[in-house]
Amino acid sequence: TLIVGQIEELQKGALNKSDQKITKKLDRYATDLLAQIDQLLHWKRTEAKAMVLNPSMGDASSILKEIFQSARNNFESKNLNWSYSIFPEQLTLEMDFEKLKIIVSNLLSNSAKYTSPGGFVKLDMNLTSNDSIEIKVKAIFLIGMKGSNDRV
């Protein structure tokens, strides 16, 4: 929050268009970092079994899109290709959306972390035949062959 506050102070000043663009990016990155730190703290509490489920009604599709959009910066900065496929486009159900955010964000973060530049990260959500949802995070990466310039 200290960084975000300083960026907001910078944005209040008279800035040229280039500086405004940079401070907007910095603000977005700082906000994403703060959200990731919060998620990490929640994740640690979940691992310690100090958290209980807190189900609520919400749209799983829009939550997953929001999670993926916040991870895009990470993918782009690592030169990763990415996509998401969420079906149906709106799916209202009862679940613990905070836990969903923590788990999917962690999977996407690890995908970006362990996928080499030029690789591919994909998020899929589908409604199954027994009315449950299936969420998949796929990371496809390129491996250099020893002694060769070819990539597999």
Side-chain angles (χ1 to χ4, degrees):
T1 56
L2 293 173
I3 296 170
V4 174
Q6 294 300 315
I7 293 169
E8 287 173 356
E9 286 298 315
L10 276 174
Q11 288 175 328
K12 289 179 185 176
L15 300 172
N16 62 38
K17 287 190 185 253
S18 175
D19 289 342
Q20 286 175 355
K21 193 175 183 179
I22 291 169
T23 57
K24 281 183 182 180
K25 269 187 180 180
L26 286 173
D27 185 48
R28 189 175 69 230
Y29 294 155
T31 302
D32 287 348
L33 179 61
L34 183 60
Q36 288 175 2
I37 290 169
D38 285 341
Q39 288 171 356
L40 181 61
L41 292 171
H42 287 301
W43 181 258
K44 290 297 179 187
R45 281 188 230 132
T46 302
E47 282 182 333
K49 298 183 178 155
M51 295 181 80
V52 295
L53 287 177
N54 188 14
S56 62
M57 293 301 288
D59 181 6
S61 300
S62 66
I63 295 289
L64 286 173
K65 287 176 191 171
E66 176 187 311
I67 295 166
F68 195 85
Q69 292 301 323
S70 69
R72 277 181 52 191
N73 293 332
N74 201 8
F75 301 148
E76 290 171 355
S77 71
K78 285 201 62 187
N79 194 27
L80 298 174
N81 300 301
W82 51 268
S83 72
Y84 65 89
S85 172
I86 297 175
F87 181 79
E89 287 195 30
Q90 184 176 5
L91 180 63
T92 302
L93 48 83
E94 184 177 27
M95 69 183 311
D96 190 328
F97 288 100
E98 284 305 311
K99 303 293 183 305
L100 176 68
K101 286 181 183 180
I102 292 167
I103 293 166
V104 174
S105 294
N106 187 45
L107 290 170
L108 291 172
S109 176
N110 284 338
S111 295
K113 184 177 180 180
Y114 296 110
T115 302
S116 56
F120 188 82
V121 177
K122 183 172 183 172
L123 171 72
D124 288 318
M125 182 193 86
N126 293 300
L127 189 61
T128 66
S129 59
N130 62 353
D131 289 335
S132 60
I133 61 171
E134 177 180 68
I135 300 170
K136 295 179 185 177
V137 175
K138 297 178 186 176
I140 302 167
F141 51 94
L142 304 172
I143 302 171
M145 301 297 284
K146 210 174 200 178
S148 171
N149 289 333
D150 295 332
R151 297 184 82 149
V152 177

